[in-house]
Each structure stands twice: as structure tokens, then as C-alpha cells.
Amino acid sequence: MLSVLIRRALATAPLLLALNAASAATLQQELMTRAMVLRGDIDGRTIQLTLQPKKNEDGLEGRYFFFGGSPDILVAGEVEGDDLVMEESVNGRDVSGQWEGHRQGNAITGTWSSADGSVTKPFSLQIP
């Protein structure tokens, strides 16, 4: 009896794996279809990042802030597959930082760096 159950489980395993893979959307598919609010941190400081597809052009745009008080910081960038690349601007004109991240499960993790690359910090964002 046990061997029959094992054979049935093994026979259905490829189908279950295929269904699971087909239902897993890439980060690009998720971010380019709707606005999304992500929470996480940059080097331990809690942030909230709002991203949405740009209107009438490719890419993403949004803003983030640090909890505990900070002005909104503008971001814009691109996502390809599960890779995210963005630039940020504190004043709306000049690049003040860069983000490079990759989706890992239900999170985007990567590195934030200052515009000149002299400062780098890890970041992590939870995907809702």
C-alpha cells in the first residue's frame, strides 16, 4: 500500500512543479502591471517605497521615505526579469543614489550606493 502511494506521489510531482513554476510571476511582471508599496530597510533604517509603471514610457517611478521623518526621495528605473536597477534624486534633478537589487523569494535584496559610489549600504524590501 505504501509503495502505491509513493508511486502516485512521484507520478504527480512533475505536474505540481510545473504548475508552481508557471504561477510564479517574475518581479518584472509584478511591478510593471500595478502600483506596489514595499516596506523594508536600507542598512537597518526602515523605509517605505512606492513604485508604479511609468505612464507612456518604459520603466518604473516612485518615491520612498525613511520612517521617523524624512522628505520623499524620488526614484526611477528599470526591472528586467528579477533584477531591479534604479536611480534616486533628493532634489528632483540630480542623481543622489543608485539601487541594484534582485528578487529572492518574497524579497528584493541588493545594494544602495551614493551617486559617486563612495558609500554603499545593503537594502531589503518585502514584496506584499
Side-chain angles (χ1 to χ4, degrees), residues 98-120:
Q98 300 173 29
W99 300 61
E100 290 185 22
H102 181 79
R103 180 186 190 152
Q104 295 182 340
N106 289 330
I108 303 168
T109 59
T111 303
W112 174 94
S113 59
S114 60
D116 64 4
S118 65
V119 178
T120 61

Side-chain angles (χ1 to χ4, degrees), residues 7-88:
R7 280 197 301 264
R8 285 185 184 162
L10 290 174
T12 60
L15 176 61
L16 293 174
L17 288 173
L19 288 174
N20 189 35
S23 66
T26 66
L27 183 60
Q28 182 176 7
Q29 291 166 324
E30 289 190 46
L31 292 178
M32 295 307 293
T33 57
R34 63 186 169 97
M36 189 176 289
V37 177
L38 307 162
R39 287 193 175 182
D41 70 272
I42 298 175
D43 199 29
R45 291 187 62 197
T46 306
I47 64 167
Q48 179 171 302
L49 170 68
T50 303
L51 286 175
Q52 64 210 21
K54 286 183 177 180
K55 293 179 172 65
N56 303 320
E57 61 182 287
D58 291 337
L60 297 168
E61 63 185 2
R63 59 188 63 232
Y64 77 96
F65 65 88
F66 289 95
F67 282 91
S70 84
D72 282 357
I73 301 169
L74 302 176
V75 295
E78 298 176 353
V79 60
E80 185 173 325
D82 283 330
D83 295 322
L84 175 67
V85 177
M86 298 188 300
E87 292 182 336
E88 69 174 46

